[in-house]
Amino acid sequence: VVRRAALLAAAGVAAGAPATGLADTWTESAAAGGVTAELAYVAEPPLSEYVRTSGLSLTIARHDGTVRTLVAEDLALEYEDNVIVPGEALAVRDLDGDAEPEVVLDSYWGGAHCCFQSRIAWWSPPDGTYRLRVVTWGDVPARLRDLDGDGRPEFVATDHRFAYALGASAADSVFPVRVWSFSRGRMTVVTRRHPALVRRDLSRHWRLYLRYRREGRAVANVLGAYLAGAYVLDRERVAWARVRSAEGRRNPRMLRGIRSALIRWGYAPR
Ligand SMILES: [Ca+2]
Ligand SMILES: [Ca+2]
């Protein structure tokens, strides 16, 4: 708890008055472009890096004087969805460059591996109110980064469809990078526009494949991730040749399985 308190102080999170004898009400806020968002919640003990919250509410004050408070129900937050990292859960950023900041709330849906989620509250001019977009990232949280410096941050996430896919256990599952951009309520996959990240993935996944093979672990998942990246970079012919030469005649059925998964997921053409 002491460590938690120090961490919270470092993150600029303020503790409010205790709501009950057992739990405290915490608030944290973020602001940009005349929009201020404040998150308030009761942090349920035990306190750790991830905190289960109750009574969570998000208040957004817009530059035109509109104030809207979204409670758990408005945010489509079920009890299982309401785990957050205090001090890191909230961001106010203009995601699509229309000069209107969006509010992003990151949370975790309390399983052993899965799932990280983002809730994006965005101002809809025709509706005159904030609308909500819920995105589920899976086992790996998304990071907001402006990868190309155009002022609009991208969500750097991973392809969650690889979880447990192609015969992999949770520990052996490999997640290729997947980049998303937000615009007026819509999410679009823009991984192809960011080849540097995919190239990094590609060499990492190849090294991982060699290691898994050495260690006698299942390799279909990591090979699938490697080839997925190759398709994104339009280097699949070279990559397949490399895979075939490394695998030889050991397991043609596995290679066919990888190909059909990559077709199913839209990496490879039919
Ligand atoms: Ca915007
Ligand atoms: Ca950008």
Side-chain angles (χ1 to χ4, degrees):
V1 175
V2 172
R3 194 181 138 262
R4 172 96 247 119
L7 189 70
L8 291 172
V13 177
T20 71
L22 291 173
D24 289 341
T25 297
W26 301 85
T27 60
E28 55 190 275
S29 62
V35 171
T36 302
E38 184 177 275
L39 190 65
Y41 50 90
V42 174
E44 293 185 3
L47 298 177
S48 68
E49 186 186 1
Y50 290 92
V51 166
R52 183 171 294 287
T53 65
S54 59
L56 185 143
S57 71
L58 175 64
T59 299
I60 306 172
R62 193 170 173 260
H63 42 75
D64 65 350
T66 309
V67 177
R68 173 124 195 252
T69 295
L70 304 158
V71 296
E73 197 183 354
D74 306 312
L75 293 164
L77 270 174
E78 305 289 338
Y79 178 74
E80 290 299 321
D81 299 341
N82 58 12
V83 176
I84 67 162
V85 178
E88 290 176 17
L90 191 62
V92 179
R93 302 278 294 272
D94 179 9
L95 300 176
D96 48 10
D98 65 352
E100 179 73 45
E102 282 73 43
V103 178
V104 184
L105 170 65
D106 288 335
S107 66
Y108 184 76
W109 168 26
H113 304 284
C114 185
C115 292
F116 290 91
Q117 297 181 314
S118 292
R119 282 168 169 73
I120 305 164
W122 59 283
W123 180 259
S124 167
D127 302 313
T129 188
Y130 282 94
R131 293 181 64 184
L132 184 73
R133 175 84 205 195
V134 182
V135 193
T136 298
W137 305 115
D139 292 40
V140 185
R143 292 170 295 125
L144 259 183
R145 296 272 184 284
D146 184 5
L147 295 171
D148 47 11
D150 67 353
R152 295 176 296 169
E154 284 74 39
F155 286 97
V156 182
T158 60
D159 191 339
H160 181 57
R161 295 170 298 182
F162 279 79
Y164 315 103
L166 296 163
S169 65
D172 287 349
S173 296
V174 169
F175 301 103
V177 67
R178 209 162 192 226
V179 184
W180 295 82
S181 79
F182 171 93
S183 180
R184 295 174 182 265
R186 290 181 56 181
M187 300 293 296
T188 311
V189 177
V190 294
T191 319
R192 278 178 175 273
R193 288 187 218 154
H194 306 284
L197 285 182
V198 185
R199 277 197 295 271
R200 209 175 306 157
D201 244 13
L202 212 62
S203 36
R204 194 168 60 88
H205 290 157
W206 186 258
R207 285 196 305 272
L208 206 55
Y209 157 65
L210 296 175
R211 200 184 97 198
Y212 279 15
R213 205 173 68 164
R214 220 168 35 239
E215 293 172 357
R217 290 157 73 172
V219 295
N221 185 281
V222 70
L223 274 183
Y226 168 75
L227 288 162
Y231 276 101
V232 173
L233 295 170
D234 293 323
R235 278 160 51 178
E236 69 272 15
R237 287 185 57 164
V238 176
W240 269 111
R242 195 182 192 189
V243 167
R244 282 202 199 88
S245 130
E247 279 293 300
R249 291 169 184 275
R250 288 201 307 173
N251 204 340
R253 211 172 132 203
M254 175 184 79
L255 298 187
R256 282 198 299 275
I258 293 173
R259 189 185 285 278
S260 36
L262 294 178
I263 291 171
R264 206 162 56 243
W265 295 333
Y267 285 101
R270 284 193 180 274

